[in-house]
Amino acid sequence: MMKHLIKKDPYYVYIHTCFLSQLFFTYIFTVNLLYHVQIVKLNPFELVLVGTVLELSVFIFEIPTGVISDLKSRKLSIIIGYSLIGLGFLVEGLFPFFLAVILSQILWGIGYTFTSGSLQAWVSDEVGEERAAGAFMNGAKAGNLGSVLAIPLSIITGIFMLNLPIILGGLCMLGLAIYLMIHMKEEKFIPLKLESQSSAWKNMKLNLSKIAIYSKASRLIRLLFLIALFFGFYSEGFDRLWLTHFLEASRLSFFSERSIVLVTGGIQFLVVVGSFIVLNIINNSSIHKHLHLIYISLFIGSLLIISSLIGFSYSTSIIALLGFYLIIQMVRQIMQPLEEIWLNTIIPESSVRATFFSMKGQIDAIGQISGGPIIGGVASIFSIKTAILISAVLLSPVLYLLRKALKISRG
């Protein structure tokens, strides 16, 4: 392991980055939502508003930072990104106030846009598309391994002090940026050529017009972007409200803070272990090598998420709530690398690869910005149970879209 860590082979640097970033993210997120509920005392609408601010930051900065990545340097973009993410988490952990949490989401959102798409585009250019497909799958597995290791550490430090994993995780993100400064090579990157006297803004518009042309010409690209939109619609409300619903429906909210940390940490541990096992099975199969198999897998996964959202909303027993939540989160973990392979395969031009990935991220953000306040409003006016049911309804159109993609792939 140490031998590979000091190597500068882009394939291994990508996998190490997936491992370390997920290690630090999971270390933070195991207690992050609990910190918002228990320490900062956010209500359901404020919880969703925090997520909406994050996604609004992503929406505003996703395309500009993606174009900067294509114009200037993907390495520089990624390093800036992890530095801002680390700073954001430090602010959140050190200052347990609503406004500080909002500021942290802005910093984190901007930082995320610098890494979104850039990391995938960087490894694709450096190792080639064929080897990159394996890197995406192995990177997802490495990320899950990082999560498995992070959760026990987060539980231990979270029991001692609930905001400590957030502070330490932020410092580790800054350390990851330093690691990448030293080990990330960028030898095969070909920046977009600017016409003489053209500004970066004009070139960004030219780049976006290329994507518009490619999207008009490709039904698969349009379908993928629409699917990203509907996933955004449903996900923000569920991600912010699931823990409150779980604690209230199972009556765990009456437990001590230490007990709740152990329970939520245990749930996250089960999610990452299950995801790691299933991703390993998929990686050893041929699913990720054939688009039509990817579409079938995404369809089954979406159906499982929708039915589990309904089951989760109606459940009151700990076992049922836990079972449905595990299905939702494990399926999401599995679907992410399959979507990345799908988009990476159908992108027609390498020079706009990062912008394509950024565009997908921005469309997802539009969905979350639109769907989040709706779900938060429903939760405040009616109930969290009703809000989660609405989330299932918002996701359901992806089944039709994936069936269309499957038909196209079969000719």
Side-chain angles (χ1 to χ4, degrees):
M1 180 67 179
M2 289 303 298
K3 184 179 178 182
H4 285 315
L5 272 172
I6 61 173
K7 278 188 175 182
K8 296 188 179 181
D9 183 337
Y11 182 91
Y12 290 111
V13 171
Y14 175 82
I15 292 173
H16 297 154
T17 303
C18 291
F19 170 77
L20 293 171
S21 62
Q22 199 60 41
L23 176 75
F24 305 146
F25 271 122
T26 305
Y27 183 62
I28 294 165
F29 287 136
T30 298
V31 300
N32 188 251
L33 190 55
L34 190 59
Y35 171 71
H36 290 169
V37 174
Q38 299 287 101
I39 304 299
V40 192
K41 303 292 185 183
L42 301 183
N43 62 43
F45 187 76
E46 287 173 334
L47 284 168
V48 176
L49 184 61
V50 164
T52 301
V53 169
L54 171 64
E55 294 306 324
L56 187 59
S57 301
V58 172
F59 173 73
I60 293 170
F61 289 94
E62 185 76 71
I63 294 299
T65 54
V67 174
I68 289 169
S69 175
D70 283 332
L71 285 173
K72 184 69 176 175
S73 166
R74 285 163 185 171
K75 174 180 177 177
L76 177 63
S77 182
I78 294 163
I79 290 169
I80 291 171
Y82 283 121
S83 299
L84 287 173
I85 291 170
L87 181 60
F89 284 127
L90 279 177
V91 169
E92 181 176 10
L94 290 170
F95 305 100
F97 308 105
F98 176 62
L99 289 179
V101 174
I102 291 291
L103 175 60
S104 75
Q105 302 305 296
I106 294 171
L107 290 170
W108 174 26
I110 296 171
Y112 167 79
T113 62
F114 274 101
T115 63
S116 172
S118 296
L119 190 60
Q120 295 91 341
W122 168 77
V123 75
S124 293
D125 284 343
E126 296 299 316
V127 305
E129 280 189 22
E130 187 175 339
R131 199 175 176 210
F136 290 149
M137 291 304 300
N138 287 319
K141 286 166 56 184
N144 273 280
L145 178 60
S147 295
V148 170
L149 298 176
I151 290 171
L153 295 174
S154 186
I155 292 172
I156 292 168
T157 49
I159 287 174
F160 175 71
M161 192 166 68
L162 196 53
N163 62 336
L164 188 58
I166 301 171
I167 296 168
L168 294 178
L171 290 172
C172 288
M173 283 292 182
L174 294 173
L176 176 58
I178 295 170
Y179 163 78
L180 293 173
M181 286 181 197
I182 299 168
H183 291 278
M184 180 176 270
K185 294 192 298 184
E186 193 170 42
E187 297 174 344
K188 298 182 181 178
F189 170 60
I190 302 173
L192 282 175
K193 294 181 180 179
L194 287 168
E195 297 176 6
S196 58
Q197 306 300 319
S198 69
S199 66
W201 176 252
K202 284 184 178 179
N203 197 77
M204 184 177 78
K205 289 171 68 177
L206 176 64
N207 211 26
L208 292 175
S209 69
K210 280 185 179 181
I211 289 179
I213 292 168
Y214 293 140
S215 298
K216 286 179 182 177
S218 172
R219 291 177 68 192
L220 285 176
I221 291 176
R222 294 199 302 273
L223 288 171
L224 188 146
F225 284 164
L226 277 172
I227 288 167
L229 180 68
F230 283 107
F231 265 90
F233 282 152
Y234 104 89
S235 62
E236 183 60 36
F238 176 76
D239 287 340
R240 299 292 169 173
L241 298 176
W242 79 268
L243 182 59
T244 303
H245 177 69
F246 187 94
L247 294 176
E248 290 178 356
S250 64
R251 297 178 182 172
L252 282 175
S253 54
F254 298 107
F255 282 41
S256 68
E257 184 179 292
R258 185 169 293 187
S259 298
I260 294 173
V261 170
L262 286 169
V263 170
T264 54
I267 291 170
Q268 301 306 319
F269 187 79
L270 290 174
V271 169
V272 296
V273 169
S275 300
F276 182 78
I277 292 169
V278 178
L279 279 170
N280 192 54
I281 293 169
I282 291 175
N283 191 43
N284 292 330
S285 71
S286 60
I287 290 174
H288 62 282
K289 298 177 182 177
H290 304 284
L291 276 179
H292 73 280
L293 293 178
I294 289 176
Y295 301 145
I296 292 170
S297 300
L298 292 174
F299 181 89
I300 294 170
S302 300
L303 187 61
L304 282 171
I305 291 175
I306 291 167
S307 57
S308 296
L309 282 169
I310 296 169
F312 185 79
S313 68
Y314 278 104
S315 298
T316 55
S317 73
I318 293 177
I319 299 300
L321 286 163
L322 177 60
F324 287 122
Y325 179 76
L326 289 177
I327 292 170
I328 292 167
Q329 294 297 70
M330 285 172 58
V331 170
R332 289 171 73 179
Q333 291 287 327
I334 294 162
M335 289 175 72
Q336 183 180 347
L338 294 178
E339 287 181 358
E340 289 178 352
I341 293 169
W342 176 8
L343 181 55
N344 193 57
T345 302
I346 62 179
I347 290 174
E349 186 178 330
S350 174
S351 63
V352 292
R353 192 182 304 277
T355 308
F356 255 107
F357 275 100
S358 293
M359 175 66 80
K360 178 179 177 289
Q362 191 183 44
I363 289 170
D364 180 83
I366 291 171
Q368 295 196 43
I369 292 165
S370 304
I374 294 171
I375 300 301
V378 170
S380 297
I381 297 170
F382 299 100
S383 66
I384 295 177
K385 171 185 173 180
T386 305
I388 294 173
L389 281 173
I390 296 296
S391 296
V393 173
L394 291 174
L395 182 59
S396 58
V398 303
L399 298 176
Y400 169 76
L401 296 173
L402 285 165
R403 283 186 64 191
K404 294 279 287 185
L406 186 57
K407 285 182 180 178
I408 293 170
S409 72
R410 287 174 173 172

